[in-house]
Amino acid sequence: MGLLANLPVALAPGMGLNAYFAFSVVGFNGTGTIPFNKALAAVFLEGWIFLILTLLGIRQWLARTIPRSLTLATGAGIGLFIAFIGLLPAGGIGVLGGDYSNMVGLGGCKDQYRDPDHPYYCLSHVLQRPTIWIGIFLGGFLTVLLMMYRIRGAILFGILLVSIISWPRPTEITYFPHTPLGDANFDFFKKVVTFRPIQRTLNAIDYDYSDGKIWLALITFLYVDIMDTTGTLYSMARFAGVMNERTADFENSTIAYCVDAFTISIGALFGTSPVTAYIESATGISEGGKTGITAIASGMCFFISIFFAPIFASIPAWATGGALVISGSLMIRNVVDINWRYLGDAVPAFLTLIIIPFSFNIAYGLITGIFAMVILKGIPWALNKVTKGRIQPPNYDDREDWGVPSGGLAPQWAKKLIKGDKKFWVADQDELALPRHSGETGRSGEGDVVANSRSVSVDEKTEKPKEDV
């Protein structure tokens, strides 16, 4: 993704589809609808179907049909999703937990006050676990203060600081308490370097596609992945400030989708559920990563972690939870650009915004928003056409235009190839004229344009153009 598409987006097995793959398709200990190796066959074929759809331009065309307010709401919803994960005990600080009355409530109690049958439910004494406050003040507030003073690596510093403080054993905040689980984790941590070869999952695919249940799983993987990856890639591109508002696309989108599709099939060969663009990429973008170097660095760190797994596996959740909340707070700013003036745009965007974190699924939020928009924009449009403009909402002119995107279905490279352009893979000037990112805000700066690796902006005092190389 970094080398070919030049995007600061990391790829890994998607956790939503991971759960569907493990619990619904394969099932606990193989009690699902199809065996593990046949489920991998569905994932493998999905990647190649995605690659074909991308080369034909269908995925990009579908992405451009999503209205602007929904794409903005998707990015903001992903921000809420990330922040919500950062507050939960399983993947974050642990401020929130289960609640028998309200589904979600305050957490952070000590072990003796937890429900023995439901470990994430506190019976009393909430917010009294010391690790919560370490995560809040050192992983959260200290990191934000460092970011306010433009100190590079602030998020990484916060994660490392909390982790190092949590490693000594004789403390209240240790990651290795004197329990059977803590002892096992500490023994693994002391190895520092280890390597575990792939023994059972490498190329374990059964290519027999005669079972109809494989195709049912494949269809589910397809539609969820299309929505999930589309929403994530476009949200990350907008957050990085490389979205072209005129074309409703970003540079190298075809390559990015091809890379995403290819990694799905490669992941199946290694025995994993569908690989997708990761929303945690927002953390790297918020630290200033705007190019593919960020993704390349992430890939190198993933490779290093194979050998230093005892160290990376011992980073506590409360060390990374603050970083997720901070990244979510930076992404939520997209809501200010949503068209709140017209309810036909505002309500679908709001539904998308809240369904993503509440359902723990980006695709479900986007599907909900599209379904609501079809109803709330389609019915007024039909009445307006039938009555020739006599029946329409009072502020109908405030709506956002929505319809078939311009430019046709075929991708730009295909159009240039048909015209006989020998350099059909080279982007046109319109594709290169992308909004320039401004600092670490993740939003494009007004009046700034990037073209041919040089940026031209306007000096506000002299109103003369100035150049940055």
Side-chain angles (χ1 to χ4, degrees):
M1 184 66 77
L3 188 63
L4 299 179
N6 195 27
L7 286 176
V9 177
L11 296 155
M15 300 311 294
L17 282 177
N18 195 348
Y20 173 75
F21 178 93
F23 297 108
S24 298
V25 179
V26 179
F28 182 72
N29 287 336
T31 58
T33 55
I34 55 178
F36 169 70
N37 50 5
K38 289 188 176 181
L40 289 177
V43 176
F44 181 79
L45 183 58
E46 177 205 358
W48 290 109
I49 294 175
F50 266 174
L51 184 63
I52 295 172
L53 293 178
T54 300
L55 293 176
L56 294 177
I58 296 176
R59 289 185 72 181
Q60 300 90 311
W61 184 84
L62 289 174
R64 294 201 309 271
T65 61
I66 300 175
R68 184 172 182 270
S69 286
L70 280 192
T71 60
L72 292 170
T74 301
I78 290 175
L80 290 177
F81 187 16
I82 294 175
F84 191 42
I85 294 173
L87 294 174
L88 292 175
I93 300 174
V95 172
L96 299 179
D99 186 271
Y100 291 110
S101 300
N102 304 316
M103 299 298 292
V104 178
L106 290 178
C109 58
K110 294 184 178 181
D111 293 339
Q112 59 266 33
Y113 301 111
R114 287 180 174 179
D115 186 339
D117 297 326
H118 303 89
Y120 296 144
Y121 284 69
C122 289
L123 300 177
S124 62
H125 296 76
V126 297
L127 300 181
Q128 293 191 9
R129 197 174 187 87
T131 55
I132 289 179
W133 302 106
I134 294 294
I136 290 175
F137 284 100
L138 296 184
F141 289 128
L142 177 61
T143 301
V144 174
L145 287 172
L146 294 176
M147 293 176 65
M148 290 169 62
Y149 287 95
R150 306 292 189 194
I151 296 177
R152 290 296 183 186
I155 292 179
L156 183 60
F157 176 79
I159 293 174
L160 291 177
L161 178 62
V162 176
S163 298
I164 293 172
I165 292 175
S166 302
W167 283 339
R169 299 201 76 179
T171 64
E172 287 289 325
I173 59 172
T174 181
Y175 185 65
F176 310 109
H178 291 282
T179 61
L181 179 60
D183 293 339
N185 289 338
F186 189 66
D187 291 338
F188 184 60
F189 173 71
K190 289 188 295 184
K191 293 181 180 180
V192 181
V193 178
T194 187
F195 179 74
R196 296 185 178 184
I198 302 176
Q199 296 178 344
R200 298 182 179 88
T201 60
L202 185 63
N203 196 23
I205 301 175
D206 182 358
Y207 295 98
D208 181 13
Y209 291 99
S210 59
D211 190 346
K213 295 180 180 179
I214 292 180
W215 294 96
L216 180 61
L218 173 62
I219 292 172
T220 304
F221 286 144
L222 276 172
Y223 90 82
V224 173
D225 236 351
I226 284 179
M227 294 298 180
D228 201 320
T229 305
T230 299
T232 301
L233 275 178
Y234 271 72
S235 298
M236 294 303 110
R238 185 179 297 278
F239 188 48
V242 296
M243 179 66 73
N244 190 325
E245 298 293 346
R246 190 184 67 80
T247 62
D249 204 352
F250 56 92
E251 186 180 359
N252 295 329
S253 62
T254 299
I255 298 176
Y257 279 121
C258 285
V259 170
D260 170 71
F262 186 67
T263 54
I264 292 175
S265 296
I266 293 298
L269 291 175
F270 281 87
T272 69
S273 58
V275 175
T276 185
Y278 243 48
I279 59 177
E280 285 81 0
S281 303
T283 304
I285 296 173
S286 64
E287 272 294 306
K290 309 296 181 183
T291 66
I293 296 177
T294 303
I296 294 172
S298 298
M300 293 175 64
C301 290
F302 272 124
F303 179 75
I304 293 173
S305 68
I306 295 176
F307 306 97
F308 291 90
I311 300 296
F312 290 102
S314 300
I315 295 177
W318 56 85
T320 58
L324 295 179
V325 174
I326 293 169
S327 300
S329 69
L330 295 176
M331 293 190 68
I332 194 65
R333 70 186 68 205
N334 288 339
V335 297
V336 300
D337 297 322
I338 294 174
N339 182 25
W340 297 109
R341 300 184 305 274
Y342 183 67
L343 286 177
D345 295 318
V347 172
F350 178 73
L351 290 174
T352 302
L353 183 69
I354 62 173
I355 292 296
I356 288 176
F358 289 168
S359 66
F360 263 63
N361 193 293
I362 300 170
Y364 293 163
L366 197 51
I367 291 171
T368 302
I370 292 174
F371 181 75
M373 185 157 284
V374 168
I375 294 175
L376 297 179
K377 292 179 76 74
I379 292 177
W381 175 84
L383 289 174
N384 182 58
K385 289 294 183 180
V386 170
T387 63
K388 297 181 179 181
R390 289 191 295 271
I391 299 179
Q392 59 180 224
N395 60 338
Y396 193 58
D397 292 337
D398 291 334
R399 73 191 186 283
E400 285 183 351
D401 291 332
W402 184 34
V404 178
S406 60
L409 180 61
Q412 289 297 323
W413 69 266
K415 295 179 181 178
K416 296 174 68 175
L417 182 62
I418 293 174
K419 293 179 181 179
D421 191 341
K422 295 181 178 180
K423 294 184 178 181
F424 60 89
W425 65 87
V426 179
D428 292 333
Q429 187 67 26
D430 287 344
E431 296 179 75
L432 291 174
L434 302 173
R436 179 190 177 197
H437 64 266
S438 54
E440 62 183 22
T441 62
R443 295 180 65 192
S444 58
E446 295 182 1
D448 294 353
V449 173
V450 172
N452 298 328
S453 301
R454 295 174 61 86
S455 62
V456 181
S457 58
V458 177
D459 192 323
E460 294 180 355
K461 294 182 180 180
T462 62
E463 296 185 355
K464 296 180 180 179
K466 59 182 181 180
E467 292 188 352
D468 290 328
V469 178

